[in-house]
Amino acid sequence: MGEKNEQGSDFVTLDVNAQTFFSSAPPLKDESDIAKKVKDFIAQNGEAIERRRLIGIVCVTSGGTTVPLEQRCVRFIDNFSSGHRGATSTEYFVKAGYAVIFLHRRGTCQPYFRDIPEDSFMEYFELNDELTVNVRQAHMEVMKSSIGNYHASVRGGLLLKLPFTTIFEYLQILRIVATSMDSLGPRGMFYLAAAVSDFYVPWMSMVEHKIQSSSGHLNVSLAPVPKMLSVLRNEWAPRAFCISFKLETDTEILLEKAEMALNKYKMHAVVANELLTRKEQVIVLISGKKITIRRTEEFRDVEDPLIDLLVQNHLEFAKQLQSNGSA
Ligand code: PAZ
């Protein structure tokens, strides 16, 4: 069971399957509330799909999961994901005619807010007198369009935001969403852009209290997170259209890994991207093809043509399943 990591130190990998993962995870605090919100959202938008006012419902996952090291968590392992991909894609999905369940890491980039950078938020406003706050003229256009689009999607009931922090929360909420979305058949879509931890500390082997520094070196045993993509495809929502993402830092292995994910997890598409160029270019593996999509002068965001391509393929997929009578 013992293995060496790249630095040559020991770590232990434990074979923990999906069922064990869920049965040993700390229960979600607001599980019934989340399940109700998801059910209501699907019922309301499912009706709009039947009336052909919407194409479908997509679950967009966004941002990175954390891996707590203590049950009363003081320290955790995190990753780089800013949530920009998920937030931007959500905007284009709504524009294309989808309702979106935005399963996102707390505190990461939000749809319709990405033009308003956090660090200069105050710069967008000015005090007019003691009673009123105005948007500064220079920022008026950006604010008008962001606020307008945000309210339109929220008022129209097209956006359900569900936050997570830990790997335990993320996978439990994903399971609730996926099993509920199964009722949509091929009109359901999963766009799995979150950076999900590959390793974690199982709850039962985690210390309760803050790890003390007095004992010198710290050796942490990390177990592999069970591969939930197969569970999603085979059990939770087998008729839905599924897109996963593959990120690598080494371009040499990127396409090979993406192809592996496509075949192993029977995804309908895999979006391959490289860390440093992820906002400029992605390669989509779909229907036996590899399609490179770039940000250009025409497209402000790489997500614009990306979502367009995926929507065309989703429509084709849903049409085929419906005409086969398997929807
Ligand atoms: O969140 P972000 O915009 O900073 O980055 C997006 C991304 C690189 C996390 C996403 O495109 C992606 O590849 N997600 C899957 C990562 C993985 O291989 O687990």
Side-chain angles (χ1 to χ4, degrees):
M1 287 238 282
E3 285 182 16
K4 297 266 182 217
N5 64 14
E6 280 169 11
Q7 284 70 45
S9 323
D10 283 311
F11 65 79
V12 178
T13 54
L14 309 165
D15 183 24
V16 187
N17 63 24
Q19 219 171 348
T20 317
F21 178 92
F22 287 116
S23 58
S24 63
L28 273 180
K29 279 197 205 89
D30 35 9
E31 182 169 349
S32 54
D33 185 39
I34 295 171
K36 183 172 177 343
K37 277 188 190 157
V38 171
K39 191 169 156 247
D40 293 349
F41 186 81
I42 291 172
Q44 182 192 323
N45 288 296
E47 241 177 64
I49 295 169
E50 273 170 27
R51 292 192 190 143
R52 295 178 188 270
R53 282 206 233 111
L54 279 182
I55 296 178
I57 299 180
V58 55
C59 170
V60 172
T61 71
S62 182
T65 57
T66 66
V67 170
L69 297 182
E70 301 121 340
Q71 290 184 349
R72 301 191 190 199
C73 184
V74 174
R75 301 186 184 91
F76 54 86
I77 302 172
D78 203 352
N79 69 58
F80 70 97
S81 175
S82 65
H84 187 273
R85 171 87 71 224
T88 310
S89 304
T90 294
E91 294 179 21
Y92 286 105
F93 273 122
V94 170
K95 202 169 160 197
Y98 286 78
V100 181
I101 298 178
F102 182 60
L103 178 53
H104 65 279
R105 163 76 179 275
R106 274 185 193 86
T108 53
C109 194
Q110 296 293 300
Y112 310 110
F113 280 82
R114 61 200 170 94
D115 286 325
I116 308 168
E118 245 172 73
D119 54 357
S120 56
F121 188 72
M122 291 299 187
E123 288 298 315
Y124 277 62
F125 303 98
E126 60 195 2
L127 254 187
N128 202 22
D129 48 47
E130 285 306 300
L131 293 172
T132 51
V133 174
N134 286 350
V135 174
R136 287 199 162 140
Q137 198 54 41
H139 304 299
M140 191 61 95
E141 283 315 305
V142 166
M143 287 294 271
K144 265 170 39 188
S145 102
S146 298
I147 291 173
N149 288 332
Y150 171 78
H151 284 294
S153 69
V154 170
R155 244 197 332 268
L158 297 173
L159 183 57
L160 175 64
K161 292 192 189 187
L162 300 174
F164 65 82
T165 302
T166 68
I167 180 71
F168 301 112
E169 288 175 322
Y170 171 78
L171 288 175
Q172 290 183 86
I173 303 175
L174 183 63
R175 180 173 61 166
I176 294 173
V177 173
T179 50
S180 307
M181 277 179 59
D182 188 36
S183 61
L184 297 165
R187 290 286 165 175
M189 190 202 281
F190 290 86
Y191 180 87
L192 305 163
V196 182
S197 321
D198 286 324
F199 297 97
Y200 79 122
V201 183
W203 192 252
M204 303 320 277
S205 40
M206 201 184 290
V207 293
E208 181 184 352
H209 293 286
K210 185 184 168 202
I211 297 168
Q212 296 299 306
S213 58
S214 50
S215 29
H217 283 250
L218 174 65
N219 290 315
V220 181
S221 282
L222 297 174
V225 172
K227 298 295 181 195
M228 298 295 179
L229 288 184
S230 332
V231 188
L232 194 156
R233 276 294 284 129
N234 297 322
E235 291 177 31
W236 295 343
R239 294 173 302 160
F241 191 69
C242 268
I243 301 138
S244 70
F245 278 71
K246 177 51 78 184
L247 173 90
E248 291 295 340
T249 52
D250 179 354
T251 38
E252 302 276 309
I253 59 167
L254 177 61
L255 287 180
E256 183 194 324
K257 290 294 204 117
E259 201 134 16
M260 239 155 71
L262 188 75
N263 299 327
K264 188 168 174 192
Y265 305 120
K266 300 197 206 88
M267 290 288 121
H268 297 101
V270 173
V271 181
N273 54 174
E274 199 257 314
L275 185 66
L276 295 178
T277 58
R278 68 191 192 277
K279 286 192 182 173
E280 307 303 320
Q281 173 180 308
V282 296
I283 302 170
V284 186
L285 282 70
I286 194 162
S287 313
K289 288 183 260 173
K290 292 187 182 74
I291 302 172
T292 302
I293 295 187
R294 290 194 182 84
R295 189 160 79 106
T296 58
E297 275 186 14
E298 186 190 351
F299 301 117
R300 177 190 165 203
D301 304 299
V302 71
E303 288 81 5
D304 184 348
L306 170 63
I307 302 308
D308 192 43
L309 173 77
L310 296 172
V311 169
Q312 296 317 317
N313 278 272
H314 180 215
L315 282 170
E316 196 56 41
F317 165 83
K319 208 165 87 187
Q320 252 175 31
L321 281 204
Q322 272 154 353
S323 66
N324 289 346
S326 33

